Amino acid sequence: MTQITIRPLHSLDEMYEAVDLQQTYWGTDLESIVPAHMLFTIASYGGHVLAAFDETKMIGVLIGLIGTNIHEVDRPAMANLLVASKRMVVLQEYRNAGVGYKLKLAQREQAIRQGIRLVTWTFDPLLAMNANLNLRKLGGICQTYLIDYYGTSERSGLATLGASDRLVVEWWVTNRRVEERLSGTRTNVTLAQYLDANASLINPGEWLDNTLHPGMTLHEAEGTFALLEIPLNYTTLVKEDEGLAQAWQRHLREAFTDALDKGFIVTDFLRGQSDGRERAFYLLSFSGGFESGFGLS
């Protein structure tokens, strides 16, 4: 593998290769693919189609469009500008090579050049790899949980086993916290340190045959920090144990909506050894009047 380069796509002809790349993940279903003409329009009017290359081979693509915060309609649109990051696809053989991270850094640079502070996107809260990139590596936060955001039909490729719950990532790209994460100057507290400090565990689960099952009882999030555990093998569960995968979907929906309603926000993702197993937890922090984009250290 040579050095990976990132550059924006501009011409219509380039967009056809980006469509082909999307199809390596989403297949040929028209509902799942952003077509070339739409990519061209996005790139021509302030949005971007960023592509990663290994020499001349396109190996990743990231789509972003400029939008506004629709929940603050009384403010001028200019005051609510954001980048909505809609789609990122990386070839399977490059998914552990940091390509997605490089694409997001390029997206951040693009937003800063345009004077935009917020980049936002959604992700399935049961996908540990995505959570690690979005929260731990990039420094995003989540304050919103969306129930069946993309519906329940699997026709779009966005619902899994009849559900499409999503966490909304807020990536405040000029915030000190984000800059420290990206530069490596921020001291990241480990899972072991939070456990040693008796951070409250919202959802103690049960291990059966070396597989984590959601517990029957949720504990109320309390104190400054709380931990919410997810299985590391959700994609395997979807293929091999649909009932357990759906139980996790229902479990996280209840846990997240309750904690966020009580004033907690998602501020990190932690992986590490605990009780002799590799485990993964969301870190939830009590907001205490936190205002988006400011003051969260």
Side-chain angles (χ1 to χ4, degrees):
M1 186 189 304
T2 58
Q3 184 175 1
I4 295 168
T5 58
I6 311 290
R7 67 172 178 84
L9 305 182
H10 297 291
S11 72
L12 179 60
D13 287 343
E14 292 178 305
M15 302 304 176
Y16 292 110
E17 189 173 358
V19 170
D20 292 340
L21 184 61
Q22 291 177 76
Q23 290 176 336
T24 65
Y25 183 83
W26 297 100
T28 57
D29 182 9
L30 294 178
E31 179 70 20
S32 303
I33 303 299
V34 183
H37 68 85
M38 183 61 69
L39 295 175
F40 179 60
T41 299
I42 290 170
S44 298
Y45 289 91
H48 50 261
V49 181
L50 301 172
F53 292 88
D54 184 354
E55 294 188 346
T56 60
K57 179 182 180 181
M58 188 183 294
I59 61 172
V61 67
L62 174 60
I63 304 163
L65 53 146
I66 293 180
T68 64
N69 185 340
I70 63 172
H71 301 295
E72 298 188 26
V73 294
D74 293 332
R75 298 179 66 193
M78 284 292 292
N80 292 327
L81 281 182
L82 54 80
V83 171
S85 187
K86 175 59 182 171
R87 174 70 51 83
M88 182 164 69
V89 180
V90 176
L91 285 180
Q92 178 68 42
E93 59 268 33
Y94 288 88
R95 288 188 188 160
N96 291 316
V99 177
Y101 182 70
K102 292 177 184 293
L103 283 166
K104 296 303 289 186
L105 293 185
Q107 185 174 62
R108 176 177 182 260
E109 292 174 1
Q110 175 78 7
I112 291 173
R113 280 197 299 270
Q114 293 177 304
I116 298 174
R117 300 181 305 153
L118 174 62
V119 180
T120 186
W121 63 94
T122 63
F123 75 102
D124 186 331
L126 277 158
L127 296 179
M129 184 177 295
N130 291 10
N132 186 67
L133 172 63
N134 297 337
L135 304 176
R136 165 123 304 207
K137 296 185 70 174
L138 295 176
I141 63 169
C142 303
Q143 302 187 86
T144 305
Y145 187 90
L146 303 171
I147 295 176
D148 286 334
Y149 183 56
Y150 293 108
T152 57
S153 170
E154 297 188 23
R155 177 181 175 184
S156 67
L158 296 171
T160 301
L161 302 179
S164 63
D165 289 12
R166 295 292 188 269
L167 279 171
V168 180
V169 179
E170 297 177 22
W171 194 27
W172 295 92
V173 293
T174 59
N175 186 273
R176 184 190 66 182
R177 179 174 178 275
V178 170
E179 292 174 345
E180 290 175 349
R181 280 286 171 93
L182 300 181
S183 66
T185 58
R186 182 179 181 83
T187 300
N188 289 319
V189 182
T190 66
L191 171 60
Q193 289 171 315
Y194 279 112
L195 292 173
D196 289 344
N198 295 318
S200 62
L201 178 58
I202 295 174
N203 63 332
E206 183 178 8
W207 290 90
L208 299 172
D209 298 325
N210 209 34
T211 298
L212 181 63
H213 291 242
M216 298 296 293
T217 303
L218 289 173
H219 295 180
E220 188 166 325
E222 55 186 21
T224 304
F225 300 109
L227 296 170
L228 177 57
E229 187 167 15
I230 65 168
L232 284 168
N233 62 336
Y234 174 68
T235 54
T236 300
L237 293 179
V238 169
K239 298 174 184 177
E240 299 180 359
D241 192 337
E242 291 188 1
L244 182 54
Q246 289 174 315
W248 272 109
Q249 290 174 337
R250 294 189 296 269
H251 179 78
L252 280 199
R253 176 181 292 183
E254 182 180 356
F256 269 120
T257 54
D258 182 69
L260 296 181
D261 284 347
K262 288 180 169 58
F264 284 81
I265 62 176
V266 185
T267 56
D268 208 346
F269 189 73
L270 310 167
R271 287 186 61 167
Q273 289 286 323
S274 178
D275 297 329
R277 296 183 173 92
E278 181 75 9
R279 300 172 69 182
F281 298 80
Y282 285 96
L283 177 70
L284 287 78
S285 305
F286 187 68
S287 59
F290 164 72
E291 181 181 353
S292 294
F294 300 96
L296 182 67
S297 59

